Amino acid sequence: MLSSITHFLRVGVSGCQGSSRSMATIISGNKTSKLVRERLRTEVDKMRTEVSGFRPSLLVLQVGHRDDSNLYISTKLKAAAEIGIDAKHVRLPRTATQDDVLQSILSINEDESVHGLIVQLPLDSVNQINTELITNSVSPDKDVDGLSCINAGKLSRGDLNDCFIPCTPNGCMELIRQTGMTVEGKHAVVIGRSKIVGAPMHDLLLWKHATVTTCHSKTPDLPEQVSRADILVVGAGRAEMVRGEWIKEGAVVIDCGINHVPDETKASGKRVVGDVHFASANQRAGFITPVPGGVGPMTVAMLMQNTVQSAKRFLLWRKMSQ
Ligand code: NDP
């Protein structure tokens, strides 16, 4: 099925781009995520038929009420509803203490009717809360964000089939697959080493047998590192930092960045750009993700995929223990 997706995107997108040889093929996260969500909806329908009334379930735990978090949560809830996942949103007040949050997580961990639990970050509390402690208190079996030490450790050891993979890097891998380029044997460069993007991206590429260089804010001569990349994944949070001139001709460029820059032509007075300077990179790359419409939609689709996977594991466990 994936090869047909690739074909669809290549035909569809290069058609949109015209026939200029100097332009990269756009890897559409909007189209790819739609196909993933459609596949998941079919899987969920099948589960509901096979196990009467059963639905995968996802719980989003929020502390406080940041506007950006509210927006991200509503996007997740909408995607879940479309697929047939039973999604719940539990909000704790800003006055919640670390113990309050831990208590909530521990009780959700015990609740068999919840298959996926995510804690929306950042935590918006008036109290001091240790985020690391919170993400690590989510049961690894329900940690569909893949942020706990257990899941991260398994990923770093290459146990890809026995862990939840963080959604953004998992989405990036899916987009790389769309290009038809084999990862094995390639030189991949990742910019960023965060727990949510860069570090798991490194692990995924490594265990798909690329040779991986991970760069960060102390890496000298970033352009030189980037110029060696057959596959470049950027998650630095620096608007349009990577210039087209740095990029190897024909490389696959995946841009995770979401940055707001001033733009007087927009009603909002700002627009969203990635970490890659798209106009110049588009002249050098073989394939490139747009921002918006690239990695962003894939992150949500992969969260849904992890939730469905968790529900499947639960059903298997229940069957075995009967
Ligand atoms: P973090 O701030 O946690 O990490 C940024 C990483 O980039 C760090 O490792 C940092 O290095 C590195 N970095 C920063 N500046 C430079 C530089 N000048 N040169 C080289 N490396 C640099 O960000 P996240 O990983 O959470 O997010 C990265 C980007 O991805 C952001 O734009 C974010 O909005 C976006 N994002 C998008 C998602 C999506 O769904 N599309 C989801 C999550 C994030 P050091 O470790 O040395 O500080």
Side-chain angles (χ1 to χ4, degrees):
M1 185 180 114
L2 286 181
S3 59
S4 64
I5 296 174
T6 310
H7 175 72
F8 169 72
L9 285 171
R10 279 181 158 173
V11 172
V13 174
S14 48
C16 298
Q17 287 294 303
S19 59
S20 170
R21 284 173 155 263
S22 61
M23 294 293 179
T25 298
I26 308 295
I27 317 167
S28 169
N30 285 334
K31 287 182 183 170
T32 310
S33 67
K34 186 164 178 275
L35 292 166
V36 171
R37 285 185 276 118
E38 282 169 4
R39 170 173 57 75
L40 292 173
R41 189 165 52 204
T42 307
E43 285 180 31
V44 170
D45 285 348
K46 192 161 167 256
M47 285 167 117
R48 290 177 78 173
T49 312
E50 285 174 1
V51 183
S52 176
F54 180 85
R55 288 211 291 166
S57 81
L58 172 69
L59 193 143
V60 185
L61 182 65
Q62 181 182 20
V63 179
H65 43 75
R66 281 173 61 116
D67 286 345
D68 56 351
S69 293
N70 294 340
L71 186 65
Y72 292 136
I73 291 170
S74 69
T75 307
K76 290 168 191 174
L77 297 178
K78 185 164 170 269
E82 281 170 14
I83 290 165
I85 293 171
D86 177 22
K88 292 189 187 71
H89 176 201
V90 172
R91 179 187 274 134
L92 299 180
R94 291 189 75 230
T95 50
T97 62
Q98 181 166 289
D99 274 354
D100 294 334
V101 184
L102 285 173
Q103 277 306 323
S104 294
I105 291 174
L106 295 182
S107 91
I108 300 161
N109 282 347
E110 294 296 314
D111 183 349
E112 279 192 5
S113 70
V114 177
H115 310 119
L117 164 60
I118 61 171
V119 181
Q120 187 68 39
L121 300 177
L123 301 166
D124 176 25
S125 174
V126 294
N127 298 302
Q128 195 76 15
I129 299 185
N130 180 339
T131 302
E132 190 72 9
L133 182 69
I134 296 299
T135 49
N136 277 322
S137 64
V138 174
S139 162
D141 296 333
K142 299 188 181 190
D143 171 31
V144 286
D145 261 345
L147 295 180
S148 67
C149 286
I150 301 280
N151 280 311
K154 285 182 177 178
L155 177 59
S156 73
R157 287 181 168 196
D159 297 337
L160 268 54
N161 294 322
D162 187 31
C163 67
F164 287 113
I165 299 170
C167 304
T168 300
N170 207 12
C172 293
M173 289 305 288
E174 192 62 54
L175 293 174
I176 293 167
R177 259 193 293 277
Q178 299 308 314
T179 68
M181 184 194 258
T182 331
V183 173
E184 183 173 330
K186 297 296 188 307
H187 187 189
V189 172
V190 178
I191 305 184
R193 56 178 167 179
S194 70
K195 289 175 186 150
I196 194 167
V197 182
M201 193 70 234
H202 164 102
D203 295 339
L204 279 172
L205 288 162
L206 182 70
W207 292 109
K208 292 295 177 189
H209 312 300
T211 302
V212 190
T213 303
T214 299
C215 304
H216 46 78
S217 65
K218 307 291 184 290
T219 301
D221 203 354
L222 201 57
E224 159 64 17
Q225 297 296 344
V226 168
S227 71
R228 293 165 52 221
D230 302 307
I231 299 168
L232 174 68
V233 183
V234 191
R238 299 277 178 269
E240 300 182 320
M241 177 183 76
V242 174
R243 312 299 299 183
E245 314 82 83
W246 304 2
I247 293 169
K248 185 175 180 175
E249 199 88 44
V252 173
V253 177
I254 309 289
D255 187 354
C256 301
I258 302 173
N259 309 286
H260 296 272
V261 295
D263 185 343
E264 286 171 5
T265 67
K266 304 280 177 201
S268 62
K270 57 186 181 182
R271 72 190 154 93
V272 176
V273 298
D275 291 348
V276 176
H277 184 262
F278 186 84
S280 57
N282 195 15
Q283 315 268 338
R284 299 274 290 193
F287 295 85
I288 190 167
T289 57
V291 177
V295 174
M298 290 305 293
T299 299
V300 178
M302 293 295 114
L303 175 65
M304 300 304 134
Q305 181 167 291
N306 280 353
T307 305
V308 172
Q309 187 187 342
S310 183
K312 279 186 192 164
R313 285 181 191 167
F314 169 76
L315 285 178
L316 190 63
W317 168 82
R318 198 170 69 173
K319 198 171 165 189
M320 308 253 294
S321 54
Q322 268 168 1

